[in-house]
Amino acid sequence: MRIKGECSRSGLRARSANITACKGFTTLAAPRAGSGHPRMKTALITGITGQDGSHLAEFLLEKGYRVVGMARRASVDHNERIAHLLDRIEVRQGDLLDQGSLVTILEDVAPDELYNLGAMSFVPTSWAQPVLTGEFTGIGVTRILEAVRAVKPDVRFYQASSSEMFGKVQESPQSEKTPFWPRSPYGVAKVYGHWITVNYRESYGIHASSGILFNHEGPRRGLEFVTRKISSAAARIKLGLQEKVSLGNLDARRDWGYAGDYVRAMWLMLQQDEPGDYVIATGEAHTVRDFCQIAFEHVGLNFEDHVVLDPTLLRPAEVDTLLGDATRARNVLGWQPEVSFGDLARLMVDADVALQRRLVGRGGDA
């Protein structure tokens, strides 16, 4: 499905009189004044092609939003997570490294809400590319906030902060008041992005909130992330497509939740009269070993027969335990997770079994 070029015919369904076509995009126009309908809100999502971006786009469409996503221009199609949404959303080219593109998108889209999910999000890669990680994940936040300040200062802004900011934790569980001690270039960049968001909120009165999200997973997680690596391996081993999987620290403890639950918290933050920062977490910590056990048992296997420990997969500076305290989110936002840790592991394995069977049926392999 093309993003740029002539509008796709499949996107021109005559669902209402509010659909207009333009060269390059299919646009859901807001209802005309006096039509008797409430004005359709517009949300702009950076990083819409990622796990969280795709879940958030689905959620906002269900809420009746016009959804516009920003994605970097690439020679390879990265739209697999939003392929089922492309006839209902707009995707614009933009780059967190390019200030001009951010200004142009804000001028053209005029969003009511802006969700900044774009980042280099794989922690191990941040050691290999620390400067680029800082540019995207740290300075990129400043660029988009500067564009907001210049073009759309009344937008409600969400910044995707991370539990990796806590790193070498100073207390457990971690709350909004816990000091940061990041242990990776990614974590350091996220701390910068977090504090620059606070700074623009306090300095310029922007309705800017940060969600300090603990690990959140699902079938749309990239294969490089440990939970998806495990669920995919369990599925492939069950189907006879591989025999072993290499992992690093099995004793690392994380507070894991379901990504679909967490995007609901993002939206709730921007519905508040006052902006603020919120820890989003389940309040339960589990080890990588725990995830392995549930995932492999779900397909009738013993993970100890298939997991190989690989010291090269250990982090240079390990984060041993992350455990979140989401009391403020529960009390202020009325948010709480719905998918348990065990159900999360099992639904990921089920999705990967189904995926592998489809690939085998097509004569392919992943």
Side-chain angles (χ1 to χ4, degrees):
M1 179 78 68
R2 291 171 300 192
I3 293 176
K4 197 145 179 80
E6 294 185 1
C7 294
S8 167
R9 293 181 182 270
S10 65
L12 302 180
R13 297 176 182 171
R15 290 174 294 177
S16 74
N18 296 321
I19 300 181
T20 61
C22 64
K23 187 176 182 179
F25 310 102
T26 299
T27 304
L28 300 182
R32 294 177 181 177
S35 66
H37 298 288
R39 187 179 71 85
M40 179 184 289
K41 283 187 176 182
T42 297
L44 175 62
I45 305 172
T46 72
I48 194 169
T49 59
Q51 169 189 250
D52 292 2
S54 64
H55 279 292
L56 180 60
E58 286 178 339
F59 178 84
L60 294 175
L61 286 170
E62 291 174 0
K63 292 287 184 183
Y65 279 67
R66 169 196 176 208
V67 176
V68 183
M70 189 186 88
R72 299 182 71 202
R73 179 177 175 83
S75 58
V76 178
D77 186 354
H78 294 292
N79 295 328
E80 62 272 8
R81 295 185 182 94
I82 57 170
H84 62 298
L85 303 175
L86 285 174
D87 65 341
R88 302 171 60 198
I89 64 175
E90 304 166 44
V91 181
R92 306 290 182 99
Q93 289 180 1
D95 198 322
L96 290 173
L97 302 184
D98 179 8
Q99 185 79 29
S101 71
L102 301 176
V103 169
T104 298
I105 288 175
L106 281 173
E107 289 175 338
D108 291 348
V109 175
D112 300 284
E113 298 172 6
L114 197 171
Y115 297 86
N116 184 36
L117 310 185
M120 292 187 65
S121 59
F122 187 48
V123 175
T125 300
S126 72
W127 276 286
Q129 296 179 301
V131 175
L132 191 59
T133 298
E135 284 286 348
F136 273 112
T137 309
I139 302 301
V141 184
T142 307
R143 292 192 184 95
I144 201 163
L145 284 169
E146 271 294 285
V148 164
R149 188 166 73 92
V151 176
K152 197 71 169 61
D154 62 338
V155 74
R156 295 197 170 194
F157 178 85
Y158 172 82
Q159 167 59 19
S161 291
S162 169
S163 61
E164 288 287 333
M165 300 189 304
F166 294 120
K168 188 176 180 180
V169 297
Q170 301 304 290
E171 63 181 10
S172 193
Q174 296 89 55
S175 72
E176 295 83 2
K177 297 181 179 180
T178 302
F180 300 138
W181 193 323
R183 298 269 281 173
S184 67
Y186 171 80
V188 172
K190 279 294 187 181
V191 169
Y192 176 90
H194 178 85
W195 281 119
I196 200 67
T197 300
V198 172
N199 183 260
Y200 272 63
R201 179 173 72 213
E202 296 177 349
S203 300
Y204 303 115
I206 295 171
H207 192 294
S209 297
S210 286
I212 306 173
L213 271 57
F214 280 65
N215 295 67
H216 46 290
E217 318 295 321
R220 299 178 193 176
R221 201 41 138 168
L223 287 166
E224 68 272 21
F225 290 85
V226 67
T227 51
R228 182 71 197 289
K229 185 176 182 180
I230 293 166
S231 66
S232 178
R236 288 173 56 81
I237 292 169
K238 176 63 176 179
L239 296 175
L241 299 174
Q242 72 182 62
E243 295 180 359
K244 303 289 183 180
V245 59
S246 297
L247 297 175
N249 183 7
L250 296 185
D251 296 317
R253 297 175 62 83
R254 293 292 184 271
D255 186 326
W256 275 299
Y258 174 54
D261 287 341
Y262 284 43
V263 299
R264 179 163 41 89
M266 300 176 189
W267 177 78
L268 286 168
M269 290 178 210
L270 298 198
Q271 311 316 304
Q272 306 306 305
D273 291 336
E274 297 296 328
D277 306 321
Y278 297 86
V279 163
I280 304 299
T282 69
E284 298 179 6
H286 300 272
T287 65
V288 176
R289 190 185 307 275
D290 294 335
F291 196 95
C292 285
Q293 182 172 347
I294 294 173
F296 278 81
E297 282 184 354
H298 187 53
V299 289
L301 299 173
N302 182 347
F303 81 93
E304 293 178 336
D305 295 333
H306 303 283
V307 171
V308 177
L309 299 182
D310 184 351
T312 67
L313 296 177
L314 298 175
R315 295 184 181 188
E318 185 59 82
V319 175
D320 295 317
T321 302
L322 291 174
L323 174 63
D325 177 1
T327 299
R328 184 165 190 253
R330 287 197 303 272
N331 293 342
V332 178
L333 305 179
W335 177 89
Q336 59 184 7
E338 297 178 355
V339 178
S340 70
F341 173 74
D343 287 343
L344 170 65
R346 286 184 284 268
L347 74 86
M348 290 180 67
V349 173
D350 287 342
D352 273 314
V353 168
L355 172 63
Q356 294 300 326
R357 283 177 172 159
R358 288 196 303 271
L359 291 172
V360 171
R362 293 202 305 259
D365 189 16

